[in-house]
Amino acid sequence: MTGRKKTLRTIAAAVLAGAVITGAAFAEDVVVKLPHVGLLAQKSGKGPRVAELKDGDKLQVVGKEGTWLRVKAGDKEGYVQANSVGTGQGGGSSFNQMIAGTSEASSAAAGKGLGEALKYAQTKGMSTAGLDRMIALSKSLTPADWEKFNSQAGK
Amino acid sequence: MKTTKTILAAAILCGLVGGCGSGGSSSGGGGGGLGGIAGTGISLGQFIPGQAGQYADAGVKGLSAASMNETDEDELGRSVAIAATNRWPVLDNPNLTKYVTMVGLSLADATGKPDGNWVFGVLDTPDVGAYSGPNGYIMVTRGAIQLMQDESELAGVLAHEMGHVIDRDGFKTVQTANLVGAGMEAASAADRRVAMFNQASDLLVNTVFSSGWNQGQETGADTKAVQLLIASGYDPHGLARFLQRMQAAGGSRGARPFGTHPGTGDRIAHISSQAGGRGGATNADRFAKAKADAKL
């Protein structure tokens, strides 16, 4: 092996090692800390959402760019704001945290709300169908919708 | 290092709460934020990292000794949205809802929480109004959209509602209400929780749809709206133009300029002063097409 080839191999090995180290630094598990977070296709809200995440969902961080994290959620990958996630368990409901020791408190510990709004609606004899429809419509944007919307901007 | 990063990240977090409807209620508004959105001067809601990500509003009492957190706020926001969608049906027009949502999400980038729970809907009523619930539930009426003439007006109204969310006006209203009444101490923990939540929801629904926010909250939401419009490239005068049109329409079409305090004239002057000589996109053609497609 010539001296030059040896140098190139050394450089290549160093680059590879660096990539592995960098990857290892990003290979961090985090948990969604807010009730609902959109996994965005790009580093902006002005685009499709890859998935809807909820409090307690586990994510793998694969990159960090400013205030953004590139994360994997199962087989899906996208961006979330770094302040939407943390380590440990999810946020849960502090209504539930007040009643530690009850069976409901364990749900809070698991990072789930208990659907207080649903119970409120039931108490008042109100339907949640309208809200469900509003959420479904609001979260149903496709890349084609955004493409059309953006193509008409400035007109 | 990790702790520092967590604190820094959390300091940027924008609180998501709010609600808007008509008159005036308690005091509140902005709340000194720990961070801001670069270039916009927007002061963000207080979020102090603590156990389970709880908001820490040290001087704000009520509801219980425990502070409410984001999950509670989301449930309160859902209560407001449930009340709204039971008062008026959701407009059965997916294309218009998608359009309104995309305008709203275009503003969300400037809030610092583009990945947040922003849910936009159109209420099927000729009444002119717009409402919001904690954690990003934003609704505008069909009547309001009919009255609007370009997209910057729609963006202005949505931004005003998002301002209440950013300022966490609903959250503060509930927290300052001291909802744990006499006699509740004897109830079981579960009953107490349900009762408190229902009281909180009733209070917030009444604030959003009847009593309304106070002068400080409305002014704060208007200020945020102008900042969001500017940061998003919209004509920041859009909201003032819409308020003027609402004022001209008066009560004949159920127009209530979402806030009676301060007076609409004062609000228009405040918004215009803030917007100054700035211009921006109105996207009048895109708005007209969306309205025409929806037969509005």
Side-chain angles (χ1 to χ4, degrees):
Chain A
M1 184 184 294
T2 66
R4 184 173 178 177
K5 276 186 180 173
K6 203 170 194 174
T7 304
L8 284 174
R9 280 194 181 183
T10 306
I11 291 170
V15 169
L16 187 61
V20 169
I21 289 167
T22 305
F26 288 151
E28 178 188 359
D29 288 334
V30 293
V31 177
V32 175
K33 285 287 192 181
L34 299 175
H36 309 283
V37 171
L39 181 62
L40 308 180
Q42 59 194 53
K43 291 179 285 182
S44 166
K46 292 182 243 180
R49 290 185 168 212
V50 177
E52 295 297 329
L53 308 172
K54 61 184 187 304
D55 189 4
D57 281 355
K58 290 183 173 61
L59 309 173
Q60 187 185 18
V61 179
V62 296
K64 298 178 182 177
E65 300 171 43
T67 61
W68 291 96
L69 297 179
R70 185 162 181 82
V71 297
K72 280 185 179 175
D75 60 348
K76 294 178 177 170
E77 192 167 328
Y79 293 92
V80 295
Q81 283 279 291
N83 55 23
S84 299
V85 302
T87 53
Q89 63 187 27
S93 163
S94 59
F95 279 96
N96 304 324
Q97 290 160 10
M98 292 185 298
I99 53 170
T102 70
S103 60
E104 290 163 310
S106 60
S107 288
K112 312 291 183 194
L114 290 176
E116 287 93 348
L118 176 60
K119 291 178 184 173
Y120 174 71
Q122 289 169 341
T123 302
K124 299 286 182 183
M126 295 190 292
S127 165
T128 61
L131 171 61
D132 292 342
R133 176 154 175 72
M134 197 169 87
I135 292 172
L137 283 174
S138 198
K139 308 275 187 188
S140 66
L141 293 174
T142 65
D145 291 326
W146 279 104
E147 194 174 328
K148 182 180 168 191
F149 181 77
N150 291 329
S151 72
Q152 295 171 342
K155 294 175 184 172
Chain B
M1 178 67 178
K2 201 171 202 175
T3 306
T4 307
K5 278 187 180 175
T6 306
I7 291 171
L8 284 173
I12 300 167
L13 180 65
C14 177
L16 300 177
V17 175
C20 182
S22 18
S25 62
S26 62
S27 66
L34 297 174
I37 302 170
T40 67
I42 293 174
S43 175
L44 304 180
Q46 287 184 310
F47 180 89
I48 301 173
Q51 286 192 333
Q54 286 186 343
Y55 286 98
D57 282 87
V60 182
K61 302 199 182 304
L63 194 58
S64 82
S67 296
M68 291 197 307
N69 66 11
E70 300 88 341
T71 300
D72 306 316
E73 293 188 46
D74 183 63
E75 292 291 336
L76 286 169
R78 284 173 177 259
S79 289
V80 171
I82 288 168
T85 54
N86 276 267
R87 185 171 294 211
W88 304 288
V90 174
L91 185 70
D92 188 19
N93 189 317
N95 287 338
L96 183 66
T97 303
K98 285 183 175 185
Y99 169 72
V100 169
T101 300
M102 287 187 281
V103 172
L105 289 176
S106 297
L107 297 161
D109 261 2
T111 67
K113 286 303 293 174
D115 62 344
N117 178 58
W118 297 108
V119 175
F120 298 90
V122 181
L123 301 171
D124 192 3
T125 168
D127 288 354
V128 178
Y131 311 94
S132 59
N135 203 35
Y137 296 89
I138 312 283
M139 294 148 281
V140 60
T141 66
R142 169 172 55 81
I145 295 175
Q146 282 174 317
L147 194 61
M148 294 167 185
Q149 290 190 350
D150 66 45
E151 192 174 292
S152 72
E153 295 182 16
L154 171 61
V157 170
L158 297 179
H160 173 92
E161 297 305 321
M162 293 166 80
H164 283 301
V165 171
I166 293 166
D167 280 348
R168 304 174 69 218
D169 288 336
F171 167 74
K172 289 169 184 168
T173 297
V174 168
Q175 273 216 322
T176 53
N178 193 20
L179 294 169
V180 185
M184 284 304 296
E185 295 82 357
S188 72
D191 287 347
R192 195 169 70 240
R193 176 178 62 76
V194 171
M196 284 194 302
F197 182 85
N198 288 351
Q199 281 183 337
S201 294
D202 280 344
L203 172 68
L204 202 48
V205 166
N206 181 63
T207 300
V208 170
F209 298 109
S210 299
S211 63
W213 304 117
N214 74 5
Q215 178 173 339
Q217 289 168 324
E218 291 295 359
T219 303
D222 284 339
T223 299
K224 289 284 190 302
V226 171
Q227 292 167 336
L228 290 177
L229 289 168
I230 292 169
S232 305
Y234 279 110
D235 178 3
H237 294 277
L239 179 57
R241 281 199 304 276
F242 179 69
L243 287 175
Q244 283 168 337
R245 201 164 302 112
M246 281 184 82
Q247 198 174 32
S252 62
R253 298 180 61 186
R256 300 180 71 189
F258 40 103
T260 56
H261 305 288
T264 307
D266 290 341
R267 289 183 59 191
I268 292 168
H270 170 73
I271 293 164
S272 298
S273 167
Q274 276 217 306
R278 296 181 184 87
T282 59
N283 293 328
D285 289 352
R286 182 165 72 182
F287 181 78
K289 185 174 187 316
K291 268 177 81 170
D293 288 348
K295 297 184 170 51
L296 295 183

